[in-house]
Amino acid sequence: MAQLAQFPSLAAPVERQSRMSTFLWWLMLLFSASVVAYAVTYFIATPGNPHFARYILPLRLHIAGGMGALLAGPWQFSQKLRARALNLHRWLGRFYLLEVALGSIAGFAMAMVSMEGLPTHFGFGILAVLWFFTGLQAYRMVRQGNIEAHRRWMIRNFALTLAAVTLRVHLPFLLAVLHWPFPRAYITVSWLCWIPNLLVAEWMVRRRMRRLVQTMS
């Protein structure tokens, strides 16, 4: 930063980018915590929806995995935490990936019995498979010592974790604002909750790779 201070034209964009990153990180943490607070209700009482009540065990396992991943995930992207407490970062990472494994496996089971039939079976089922696969890849890369590839896979994985957030944004919008019938909205959201997330994550990964190439050249 001392070097950048000598070049105001370079320092200003870097400072703005840093502020934006901080804002987005806190926003991500706030939305994640909000969804976790809502999800706690599924452990306090049996859901009123008879479909969810029928599959309460896999549902609660899926929710428990999602809650842990949402709470731990944002901290994996905290540069300050990684720099000051690397060991804590690693243990949180292990906890996060275990929660992803639990949430994705139980989520796949729930996808196979999801309401509205094959469209949601495939929508939520593919999400569960990709959530597990990207977490497995992140784990494999860090075990191999390929930290940069590990970070790329973690970006993809947490984008899928955030499907729990985007689902709860899109579904009320489709129902309350657009006044779609529930079957149509639920089928749509089974894909809409994660595909845009993954596209944004891939854009971030490719931008990161371009920056690394520019830095090395």
Side-chain angles (χ1 to χ4, degrees):
M1 291 299 292
Q3 293 176 336
L4 285 172
Q6 301 174 16
F7 303 95
S9 61
L10 295 177
V14 171
E15 186 177 352
R16 283 197 299 270
Q17 183 179 358
S18 178
R19 286 200 299 266
M20 179 58 70
S21 298
T22 301
F23 170 76
L24 291 175
W25 185 87
W26 279 106
L27 189 64
M28 177 174 66
L29 183 64
L30 176 63
F31 274 112
S32 296
S34 299
V35 170
V36 168
Y38 167 76
V40 169
T41 61
Y42 283 86
F43 294 90
I44 296 174
T46 302
N49 185 310
H51 179 80
F52 287 150
R54 181 181 180 185
Y55 300 104
I56 190 63
L57 178 58
L59 176 64
R60 283 177 171 167
L61 290 175
H62 171 60
I63 291 173
M67 290 170 64
L70 283 171
L71 288 175
W75 299 101
Q76 290 303 102
F77 296 94
S78 170
Q79 295 181 2
K80 290 182 179 179
L81 177 66
R82 193 162 56 243
R84 296 175 182 176
L86 183 58
N87 199 42
L88 176 59
H89 168 80
R90 289 169 176 166
W91 278 105
L92 276 176
R94 294 184 183 104
F95 171 77
Y96 172 83
L97 290 175
L98 284 173
E99 292 295 284
V100 167
L102 172 63
S104 59
I105 293 170
F108 185 81
M110 287 300 299
M112 296 302 98
V113 294
S114 60
M115 296 180 288
E116 311 311 328
L118 284 178
T120 58
H121 294 351
F122 277 104
F124 290 128
I126 293 171
L127 167 59
V129 170
L130 290 177
W131 195 24
F132 183 89
F133 173 75
T134 53
L136 179 62
Q137 286 295 95
Y139 175 75
R140 289 181 63 243
M141 291 302 103
V142 78
R143 291 289 296 174
Q144 293 174 15
N146 191 339
I147 302 302
E148 183 53 40
H150 165 72
R151 289 174 180 170
R152 292 197 297 267
W153 283 108
M154 280 295 292
I155 290 171
R156 296 179 179 113
N157 183 265
F158 193 63
L160 295 172
T161 299
L162 288 175
V165 174
T166 49
L167 183 148
R168 284 157 184 83
V169 173
H170 295 318
L171 188 58
F173 177 81
L174 296 176
L175 292 172
V177 179
L178 298 185
H179 303 291
W180 285 14
F182 179 82
R184 180 184 176 190
Y186 199 64
I187 290 170
T188 301
V189 86
S190 70
W191 299 87
L192 187 62
C193 71
W194 62 270
I195 290 179
N197 295 19
L198 200 55
L199 291 174
V200 171
E202 199 59 36
W203 171 77
M204 293 173 63
V205 164
R206 292 180 183 276
R207 186 182 66 165
R208 181 182 180 90
M209 291 174 67
R210 285 196 300 270
R211 287 181 175 177
L212 287 174
V213 170
Q214 291 172 359
T215 302
M216 294 173 62
S217 60

